[in-house]
Amino acid sequence: MPAELRYKPKANQVDEEPMGMDKLTPHILVVDDDDIICQQLERLYTSSGYLVDIATTGEKALERLEKGDIDLVVTDIRLPGISGVELTVRMRENSPDVPVIVITGHGAMDSAIEVLKGGAIDYILKPFSAAAIQQSTQTAVDKSRVFAEIRHLRRLLKVGGEFSGMLSQTPEMYHVFETIRMVAPTDMTVLVEGETGTGKELVATAIHYQSPRKAGPFITINCAGFPEPLLESELFGYERGAFTGANRTRVGKIELAHGGTLFLDEIESMSLLMQSKLLRVLEDQQVQRLGGNRKIRIDMRVVAASNVPVEKLVAEGKMRNDFYYRINVIPIRLLPLRDRRDDIPLLVDDFLRHHHVAQKKGVTGVSSSVMNALMNYHWLGNIRELQNVLEKAIVHATGRIIERIDLPRSSASDVRKRDHAGASLNQWLEEQEKQFLIQQLKSFDGKIALTAKNCGLAIRTLSRKMHQYGLQKRDFQRKDSQPFVPGKGEGTLNGISVANRPRDS
């Protein structure tokens, strides 16, 4: 199973430190030996909010690409040294995630077509206008943004440390990891609560393998998977002849866990009678097989898990008080995925990197629209449901990026039915947050960095929330602050003439 959670130490959390323009703003590499073209494109792009690097040869462009963090290359076909065609071919091998736009004159159309076949996503004929450049660039940047997010997520994972195959960047999960660290060296009984699919068995596994018992067995049993008579025989084992069909002696799960850890999943399904029998084992550290008359000494640690709050079971009379106190020494509560949405991009990236079909088909990411759908889905099945949805999408993917995903339509209504009051409160809070962000964006004319700083948010977090609420940066910019408006004459950038001639060199 792919890793679902991985700890990233709070001190190094990339999302908590100042993000800086270089981590979110698209970074464009202009490759041209014509100083005028370079200056005009640099002015256009920087005034539009992009970061720009200049390379005057294809060789210098390849050197710059090796350093990373380039989201788009805009190159002329005719270059000293290696041509734009050769540059595009090498980029396809070494930097396949970086899109290429080619600038060409009418006399180089054959080369432009060759470059498109080699991997470029667009070409622009000279003379060109600001509108043409901007439109082509925006299309390329939208495509590049998916790959940039993947690279950013992988930087997050690189910064973070491994924590027993688990992955997360939320403060709540940080607390879970700290609890695991604290309790693992002891023999204290742990109760893990969380909805189905939140990773309870992963937590139990982490506790076992960070404990002194890690060399011993890790035995799991799903208490809901057996009717009571079979559950008892599975746990306690039985002697030959104990009941009809008992043709041989069988060791139970409790005995098998000797020297290690016993993980009791879905313990809420255990009957009161079974609870009393298991309680005796936990207190005496002895087990007696069904049909036997000999008590066997055992040394094991117990981790239990429940899909529902056990306090509720006690209040309803479905769990014994003494059993509750025995298993609930150290409680760990896992959040549902819909309450830790910031982890979804990390989980998606991690799943695609480890899934064998995705690796075979070369699927490396999801489109912005798909990620938006995943971020806004309610995930009643939590991480397990996310994995299921991604597996289906991988099968139907036709390229490196998943462009379409199928989500059940009933999820949102199911959540509202289950917790109508909570959903109403959440809706009210989201509306208040949206109005607050609108006010702040207006105050700073849509400047993302300044707005994020004033709100006390990371730029990445503000960008995600703007996407969530359908807020566009351009809607908050003053009309008189628009940086570039094409001049009346074709082939101008804000009144500055763009090279209108194809170059002979």
Side-chain angles (χ1 to χ4, degrees):
M1 175 183 292
E4 293 179 358
L5 312 165
R6 181 175 297 128
Y7 170 56
K8 180 165 61 59
K10 190 172 183 180
N12 292 327
Q13 281 191 358
V14 176
D15 196 39
E16 294 297 324
E17 62 187 24
M19 293 296 293
M21 294 294 289
D22 61 316
K23 292 186 180 179
L24 283 174
T25 305
H27 205 146
I28 299 174
L29 176 62
V30 175
V31 188
D32 204 308
D33 63 332
D34 188 317
D35 291 339
I36 295 177
I37 292 287
C38 290
Q39 291 171 8
Q40 291 169 345
L41 288 177
E42 182 176 20
R43 180 176 178 183
L44 170 64
Y45 285 142
T46 55
S47 298
S48 298
Y50 299 119
L51 293 174
V52 180
D53 275 7
I54 302 294
T56 55
T57 66
E59 289 83 357
K60 291 181 179 179
L62 291 173
E63 291 177 4
R64 176 60 185 86
L65 286 165
E66 288 180 358
K67 299 178 181 178
D69 293 330
I70 293 296
D71 301 297
L72 170 64
V73 170
V74 180
T75 181
D76 197 349
I77 280 188
R78 306 282 178 86
L79 296 170
I82 65 172
S83 67
V85 176
E86 178 64 21
L87 173 62
T88 304
V89 171
R90 294 194 189 182
M91 284 183 58
R92 189 174 185 179
E93 297 174 354
N94 303 322
S95 306
D97 294 346
V98 181
V100 180
I101 295 175
V102 174
I103 300 174
T104 181
H106 289 286
M109 279 300 298
D110 291 341
S111 297
I113 294 172
E114 185 180 351
V115 170
L116 288 175
K117 291 181 179 178
I121 67 169
D122 197 7
Y123 69 91
I124 299 174
L125 285 174
K126 300 176 184 175
F128 51 79
S129 65
I133 283 285
Q134 288 170 327
Q135 181 178 357
S136 182
T137 299
Q138 187 60 54
T139 300
V141 165
D142 288 342
K143 182 175 182 179
S144 177
R145 186 170 286 118
V146 176
F147 295 109
E149 179 65 15
I150 292 172
R151 291 194 297 272
H152 176 62
L153 294 175
R154 288 175 180 168
R155 283 197 297 270
L156 284 178
L157 299 182
K158 188 175 181 180
V159 170
E162 289 287 337
F163 190 89
S164 297
M166 301 191 291
L167 179 154
S168 182
Q169 59 174 340
T170 61
E172 293 84 0
M173 291 306 298
Y174 168 78
H175 177 70
V176 168
F177 301 145
E178 288 300 305
T179 302
I180 293 173
R181 277 201 185 91
M182 175 188 69
V183 74
T186 74
D187 273 340
M188 292 182 180
T189 303
V190 179
L191 175 63
V192 187
E193 291 182 347
E195 295 178 8
T196 181
T198 51
K200 296 186 292 296
E201 186 169 348
L202 279 175
V203 172
T205 304
I207 292 172
H208 173 72
Y209 286 104
Q210 292 201 26
S211 75
R213 298 177 176 272
K214 61 185 178 183
F218 179 71
I219 305 297
T220 69
I221 182 169
N222 189 316
C223 300
F226 302 91
E228 184 169 337
L230 286 180
L231 178 61
E232 185 176 11
S233 63
E234 283 290 320
L235 282 171
F236 293 86
Y238 52 83
E239 299 287 355
R240 180 179 179 182
F243 50 82
T244 302
N247 299 322
R248 59 181 177 84
T249 297
R250 181 175 182 181
V251 176
K253 299 284 189 181
I254 294 173
E255 277 187 76
L256 291 174
H258 179 71
T261 303
L262 176 65
F263 176 54
L264 302 168
D265 198 9
E266 296 193 58
I267 201 168
E268 70 273 10
S269 63
M270 188 177 289
S271 70
L272 294 174
L273 178 60
M274 184 60 62
Q275 292 174 29
S276 66
K277 293 179 179 180
L278 183 57
L279 177 63
R280 176 60 61 88
V281 173
L282 297 178
E283 291 179 342
D284 297 345
Q285 288 290 293
Q286 296 182 91
V287 63
Q288 183 174 325
R289 298 173 187 163
L290 300 182
N293 53 20
R294 179 173 62 94
K295 289 188 175 182
I296 302 168
R297 196 78 183 169
I298 51 140
D299 173 25
M300 66 176 183
R301 197 244 191 94
V302 171
V303 179
S306 173
N307 293 332
V308 298
V310 290
E311 292 91 342
K312 181 180 179 182
L313 299 176
V314 174
E316 294 174 350
K318 297 178 180 179
M319 179 172 286
R320 295 169 56 103
N321 278 287
D322 49 4
F323 184 68
Y324 165 73
Y325 291 124
R326 187 65 183 80
I327 65 170
N328 193 35
V329 179
I330 302 294
I332 294 178
R333 293 177 175 83
L334 299 180
L335 289 177
L337 185 56
R338 59 185 170 276
D339 290 340
R340 38 180 288 225
R341 297 180 188 273
D342 283 348
D343 283 341
I344 290 176
L346 295 176
L347 297 171
V348 170
D349 178 67
D350 194 65
F351 184 80
L352 293 179
R353 286 199 294 156
H354 289 87
H355 195 277
H356 67 285
V357 177
Q359 292 175 340
K360 185 176 181 180
K361 296 181 67 174
V363 178
T364 58
V366 302
S367 67
S368 298
S369 60
V370 167
M371 182 58 72
N372 184 50
L374 296 176
M375 294 288 286
N376 288 284
Y377 186 65
H378 291 276
W379 301 114
L380 292 181
N382 295 292
I383 298 173
R384 189 175 295 125
E385 184 182 10
L386 173 63
Q387 292 176 340
N388 179 266
V389 167
L390 289 174
E391 282 192 306
K392 294 177 183 177
I394 290 169
V395 171
H396 293 97
T398 57
R400 298 176 61 211
I401 299 300
I402 295 174
E403 302 285 354
R404 182 177 178 276
I405 204 159
D406 293 322
L407 296 171
R409 296 182 179 179
S410 59
S411 177
S413 60
D414 288 345
V415 170
R416 285 193 292 271
K417 290 177 183 178
R418 187 175 67 180
D419 191 3
H420 177 73
S424 298
L425 176 60
N426 286 337
Q427 291 170 358
W428 182 84
L429 291 172
E430 288 178 355
E431 182 61 29
Q432 299 305 305
E433 182 178 55
K434 179 180 178 180
Q435 294 304 318
F436 173 74
L437 293 179
I438 289 174
Q439 179 184 6
Q440 293 295 313
L441 287 163
K442 286 181 178 178
S443 300
F444 293 97
D445 300 326
K447 294 181 175 65
I448 303 301
L450 291 176
T451 303
K453 183 177 180 180
N454 193 63
C455 294
L457 298 173
I459 296 178
R460 177 169 169 265
T461 302
L462 176 60
S463 299
R464 178 179 60 77
K465 289 182 178 294
M466 289 176 63
H467 191 67
Q468 175 184 346
Y469 297 131
L471 305 179
Q472 299 291 329
K473 173 182 176 180
R474 61 175 178 269
D475 295 336
F476 301 96
Q477 292 176 325
R478 289 198 305 255
K479 297 297 183 182
D480 58 358
S481 66
Q482 293 294 332
F484 271 88
V485 179
K488 294 182 179 180
E490 184 177 359
T492 62
L493 298 180
N494 201 24
I496 299 176
S497 176
V498 177
N500 289 319
R501 66 187 188 286
R503 224 171 336 126
D504 296 330
S505 56

